[in-house]
Amino acid sequence: MNDDRITYDQLSPLIDGRDRPAAHAIDNAARGVNATERTIRQITAMIRAKLDQIEQRLDHGLSLNELGELQRMPADLDRAITLRHAHWQVLGALPTETEMKSLQPAPAAPAQEASTR
């Protein structure tokens, strides 16, 4: 599970008992956060793959025709990040502070040190 994703278990208490327009807005914003998180991961994976291809072509002394494809990817990434921020702004405007804290990932457990000295 990704820390950035809002699960149904987290979302359900936020929309239960709210009037229909508020519940709908919260649901749409949460779905938008999840969708854009997935898009951001896909775009960053494509950028990594394209950079690997370019590096391989450099290693083999081949032309770098793929640079044109790479140049548009950061703009796609920027749009997805901006849209994700917009969804979080909508989501942050409706729930209470306590409800918003319920969307935060659980704190990571401290790493246990091995005492093998």
Side-chain angles (χ1 to χ4, degrees), residues 29-105:
R31 289 176 189 272
V33 166
N34 289 345
T36 54
E37 182 265 341
R38 182 176 45 253
T39 300
I40 290 167
R41 290 181 185 280
Q42 290 171 341
I43 293 171
T44 56
M46 289 188 311
I47 290 172
R48 272 191 218 99
K50 186 54 68 179
L51 288 172
D52 287 344
Q53 288 175 356
I54 290 169
E55 189 173 305
Q56 288 173 356
R57 292 186 71 80
L58 278 172
D59 290 346
H60 292 63
L62 302 173
S63 70
L64 299 178
N65 294 332
E66 291 84 6
L67 288 177
E69 292 177 34
L70 180 64
Q71 288 173 338
R72 72 168 171 76
M73 289 180 185
D76 294 342
L77 180 61
D78 188 47
R79 278 189 293 276
I81 290 169
T82 301
L83 185 57
R84 184 172 184 273
H85 286 301
H87 287 301
W88 269 113
Q89 286 178 340
V90 170
L91 190 58
L94 296 170
T96 66
E97 187 175 332
T98 303
E99 290 172 327
M100 283 302 293
K101 286 181 181 177
S102 73
L103 296 178
Q104 301 302 317

